[in-house]
Every structure is written in C-alpha cells, then in structure tokens.
Amino acid sequence: EPEVTQTPSHQVTQMGQEVILRCVPISNHLYFYWYRQILGQKVEFLVSFYNNEISEKSEIFDDQFSVERPDGSNFTLKIRSTKLEDSAMYFCAATRDSNQPQHFGDGTRLSIL
Amino acid sequence: GIQVEQSPPDLILQEGANSTLRCNFSDSVNNLQWFHQNPWGQLINLFYIPSGTKQNGRLSATTVATERYSLLYISSSQTTDSGVYFCAVPLNTGFQKLVFGTGTRLLVSP
C-alpha cells in the first residue's frame, strides 16, 4: 500500500474554474504538506497542515488556495479561480513525525487552458 | 532562508558508468532526503540520511552535516536511472517544510 495516494493523476481545467486535488495518506500520518513544481523548475513548498489547521504557508499560497481534511482521511487542496500560471505538478506529502522523512504521492499534473 | 545548491546541473553518462552528485546547503540541518524524479514526474524517495552513509543496491549516499554537504553515488548506471535527482532539507522551524535543491538532470544512454 503506498504511503500517499493522489487523485486525479492529471487534471485539465479552463481558466477561472475551481479545482480540487485530493490526497489520501495512510492513517498514522499526522503532518501533511502540499508542494508545487512548475515545469522544468524545482519543487516549492505551498502549505503544511497539522491538527486540522494550517501550520505554515508560503507566499504562493494566497487567498485563491485553501486546504482541508474533511473526513479524517482525505486531504484536499482547492484552487478557487484558476489562472494559467497555476499549471504545475502538485505533490502531497505526509509524515508521522515532523522529524521523520516525508512521503510523497505521485503528484497531480494540473493544466490550465 | 537556507540555500540548497546541487551540482552538476546536467550529467550525461554511458550505461555502466559511475557518477557522484553533490548537494550543498547553507545552514545546519537535522536531516536530508534524496529523491529521483522519473520521466513521468513521480518523486521517488531514495534516502533519508541526516548523517553518515547508507547504501541501497547500486546507490549510496553520504551526508557530512558538519561540512554542509551530501553526496549521492550511482554505480553501474542504467538507462532507468535517467531523470532528475533532487536533495531536500527541512527548514529547522515549525513543521520542517522541505527546501528542495536545484536538481541534477541525469541522462544515461545505452
């Protein structure tokens, strides 16, 4: 069983539409993260989440973004009104302890048209 | 914030050759991860190596935390080793978000 499962693997959306990216970590993970990688660039931190609240967010994570863990298993990233520059690979990561390795999902490739 | 630099940026190898990838970081860290990003974009966790040396098959990694660098060794390279290799270190505040290096793009030709 993979440590972290992400869906969908690829999402194509019209500019201005809302998207929700989903992540399911295995049950004993307590710390959750979203990262983003624009094509050809390095991976950048977006947000961390612990105990049902955001613990830290980057300057990229503006009011268009939100995260939640609605049911104790899914961890979602919502982009309210997508822009062309939101096109990227989005990775979810999770860990049991903040001093342990982070386990990454396979990513969702988001393409905004 | 912490800076993470990797070298070389690009590397082309013949199948069977050995290589060493380097990761330098500008501040002390309490752990370090190496990843391989395959051609499909997946990030594969290779090593979690705060210090010392670890080996996994043809790959090994060494971190010298006091000197702020880590090395990834690939021996007898195969075409499936192609991709981008990233190191990542946690920011030593709060919830240890990872700061990724600039990556080394490796192409192994048959």
Side-chain angles (χ1 to χ4, degrees):
Chain A
E1 180 188 12
E3 300 268 352
V4 178
T5 302
Q6 285 187 244
T7 56
S9 55
H10 192 188
Q11 173 87 42
V12 181
T13 302
Q14 291 287 332
M15 187 171 59
Q17 297 295 304
E18 174 183 285
V19 294
I20 298 176
L21 310 183
R22 290 187 167 79
C23 171
V24 181
I26 62 173
S27 60
N28 60 354
H29 286 152
L30 301 176
Y31 298 80
F32 309 102
Y33 309 80
W34 283 101
Y35 294 84
R36 180 182 84 172
Q37 184 185 32
I38 293 171
L39 186 64
Q41 298 185 20
K42 64 179 180 178
V43 180
E44 305 171 284
F45 167 79
L46 286 178
V47 65
S48 57
F49 191 86
Y50 171 74
N51 203 25
N52 281 322
E53 60 183 28
I54 290 174
S55 47
E56 188 174 357
K57 58 185 180 180
S58 73
E59 58 190 28
I60 303 169
F61 194 89
D62 61 22
D63 292 343
Q64 297 285 75
F65 291 88
S66 62
V67 290
E68 63 176 3
R69 198 157 183 247
D71 56 11
S73 61
N74 289 283
F75 178 49
T76 63
L77 174 69
K78 182 192 291 187
I79 310 175
R80 236 177 304 280
S81 177
T82 49
K83 305 172 202 154
L84 293 176
E85 54 264 36
D86 294 327
S87 295
M89 185 77 124
Y90 289 81
F91 292 102
C92 172
T95 183
R96 295 179 199 82
D97 184 299
S98 60
N99 287 316
Q100 293 297 310
Q102 292 181 25
H103 300 276
F104 280 69
D106 287 345
T108 293
R109 189 175 301 281
L110 177 64
S111 301
I112 307 300
L113 305 179
Chain B
I2 191 169
Q3 304 296 315
V4 185
E5 300 288 335
Q6 291 184 243
S7 60
D10 295 281
L11 187 57
I12 300 174
L13 296 176
Q14 203 73 24
E15 200 168 25
N18 303 329
S19 63
T20 301
L21 281 56
R22 187 177 180 101
C23 172
N24 292 330
F25 37 95
S26 61
D27 205 350
S28 59
V29 299
N30 57 17
N31 69 60
L32 183 142
Q33 290 183 246
W34 279 100
F35 297 89
H36 174 216
Q37 186 166 39
N38 65 22
W40 296 270
Q42 297 167 325
L43 278 174
I44 312 300
N45 215 327
L46 295 177
F47 292 102
Y48 171 73
I49 182 163
S51 63
T53 298
K54 289 187 178 178
Q55 177 131 19
N56 185 2
R58 296 180 295 103
L59 271 58
S60 65
T62 295
T63 296
V64 184
T66 52
E67 296 186 24
R68 301 182 186 171
Y69 73 89
S70 183
L71 302 173
L72 178 69
Y73 306 95
I74 305 174
S75 64
S76 305
S77 57
Q78 300 175 358
T79 55
T80 51
D81 295 332
S82 297
V84 184
Y85 289 81
F86 289 103
C87 63
V89 299
L91 210 57
N92 291 330
T93 57
F95 295 87
Q96 307 266 305
K97 68 183 188 190
L98 289 179
V99 177
F100 279 75
T102 47
T104 291
R105 186 175 300 276
L106 174 65
L107 176 64
V108 181
S109 56

